[in-house]
Amino acid sequence: MKKIIGLTACVLLLMGWQQHRKSFFANDQLNTAQKMIQLALKSNTDSSKIPCTVDGDGKLKTVGLYDWRSGFFAGNIWYLYEFSKDKALKKEAERWTAALEPLQYFKDHHDLGFMVYCSYGNGYRITKNEKYKDIIVQAAKSLCTRFDSTTGCIKSWNQFKSWDENITYQFPVIIDNMMNLELLFFASEVTGDPYFKNIAITHANTTLKNHFRPDGSAYHVVMYNPVNGQVLAKKSAQGYADESAWSRGQAWALYGFASTYRLTKDARYLTQAIKVAKYLMNHPNLPADKVPFWDFNAGDPNFIPCSPNAAKYSTGIQPRDASAAAIIASALIELSDYVSPTERKSMRQFAKDILISLASPSYLAAPETNANFLLKHSVGSIPHGGEIDVPLVYADYYYLEALMRMLQNEKNKKW
Ligand code: GLY
């Protein structure tokens, strides 16, 4: 009897220790991140200069209000305030968020979801500040001005010029646009007006129809004819080739359809998210540490590079994209809640493997280096010839989000 009690105590102790170890990981990384963001806030106090990446000398490069990446820095502070409950961080989150207020009337590109929902959206979720809610709803109205019922889409960019400069397309839609839909669902939820979510659903349905290949991978840009809604061409702006799988594009597709499933419970979105997950989790070109190269097909001779800069990467070692890895980790943690137990296990393990890689010195910067960004080794856009193997503020955002999701799951004993 004594032996059985002793053995049971040992097993319970071991289980408790394992649980503690797992919590230790997310907690530890978020504690480190908190210290690093404090350094970032100390070194740059001007909230009109929003940290984005580094220049060629490794110095901080900032962007202004209307850049698509403007909301991530405030989002990072909100996540770390949520984690730490540090009042000073709350003040900073409020200050960097307030600087974005004019965005609610911005209509010149589709990225308001990133810009407003990562900043004001997190701010509202955490503080329930009513002013934030009104700003988000106004931003949703602005985003809806880009919706067109003939194409069934929100227009991403005002134009897209082919890389050979021969054709200018008037209605480009990028897979990234799925990330802007949550803002619209939120607006419908808080106003009771289905107008916003109907637009989001129409956009998601059109994307589902036109953006995917049979293997589950997503095209980057689909060009529509605004006169009759027909698809004119499928291209890449940031991937290796028109027919290749740009890694961050796959990450946006995975995240966008997982979150749109959460918001609609439409099984078709879940099926697509699982298809994308399987595509990238089983891809033969995925490195062992699960941080993808910038494009799953980069350098593959079967693919024709889309631009002269992409062609420079037809041989040689391909840069990794830590931003894609972070988005995939965060999305898989969410998706794992909606799938079968076997898929759940493998998705959570995959997300954890990514986070362990990103938290290693290979990707996580030492404090006071990397212009105070957390992660190294992301890629902005190789075809545009910029931001190659650099830190990116949105890589940090999705890394923090994934850690927060992991922490929450640990607390709910889901891991
Ligand atoms: N939405 C642009 C990008 O992912 O680079």
Side-chain angles (χ1 to χ4, degrees), residues 166-354:
N166 285 338
I167 311 176
T168 301
Y169 296 100
Q170 301 300 334
F171 204 109
V173 177
I174 65 176
I175 188 66
D176 324 24
N177 207 336
M178 285 300 298
M179 300 296 289
N180 295 311
L181 303 186
E182 196 163 352
L183 174 86
L184 303 184
F185 285 104
F186 174 88
S188 276
E189 192 192 312
V190 296
T191 60
D193 184 347
Y195 168 74
F196 307 99
K197 80 171 174 197
N198 286 343
I199 286 179
I201 290 168
T202 306
H203 182 94
N205 290 342
T206 310
T207 303
L208 198 58
K209 192 164 131 221
N210 296 326
H211 248 95
F212 289 96
R213 304 185 184 96
D215 65 5
S217 68
Y219 284 95
H220 184 201
V221 198
V222 174
M223 320 294 171
Y224 290 90
N225 181 340
V227 176
N228 57 21
Q230 276 173 5
V231 172
L232 296 172
K234 300 183 182 188
K235 302 275 178 198
S236 192
Q238 284 164 265
Y240 180 65
D242 291 340
E243 287 300 325
S244 73
W246 173 48
S247 298
R248 199 164 52 254
Q250 310 318 303
W252 294 142
L254 173 68
Y255 192 119
F257 277 94
S259 55
T260 308
Y261 170 69
R262 163 174 36 92
L263 296 158
T264 59
K265 294 288 172 264
D266 184 328
R268 291 172 306 154
Y269 304 153
L270 178 61
T271 303
Q272 189 59 54
I274 295 171
K275 230 176 151 182
V276 182
K278 287 191 173 156
Y279 172 84
L280 53 87
M281 288 167 73
N282 299 316
H283 203 287
N285 296 343
L286 187 73
D289 67 2
K290 298 190 171 67
V291 177
F293 297 112
W294 67 285
D295 189 299
F296 282 95
N297 309 108
D300 184 330
N302 296 312
F303 291 80
I304 304 162
C306 68
S307 80
N309 279 324
K312 291 180 194 158
Y313 286 79
S314 54
T315 56
I317 296 172
Q318 302 293 339
R320 302 296 189 92
D321 185 6
S323 75
I327 299 158
I328 292 167
S330 186
L332 283 179
I333 296 173
E334 156 142 67
L335 186 58
S336 72
D337 281 342
Y338 315 139
V339 295
S340 71
T342 319
E343 287 170 332
R344 180 170 309 139
K345 202 164 169 243
S346 73
M347 285 181 188
R348 287 185 184 164
Q349 188 57 50
F350 196 96
K352 203 191 290 179
D353 290 347
I354 289 180

Side-chain angles (χ1 to χ4, degrees), residues 68-69 72 110-111 114 157 174 176-177 179 220 238 246 248-249 252 323 327 379-381 387 392 394:
W68 79 273
R69 297 156 293 188
F72 293 114
H110 71 137
D111 284 314
F114 288 116
W157 303 321
I174 65 176
D176 324 24
N177 207 336
M179 300 296 289
H220 184 201
Q238 284 164 265
W246 173 48
R248 199 164 52 254
W252 294 142
S323 75
I327 299 158
V379 169
S381 178
E387 297 173 358
L392 291 169
Y394 49 97

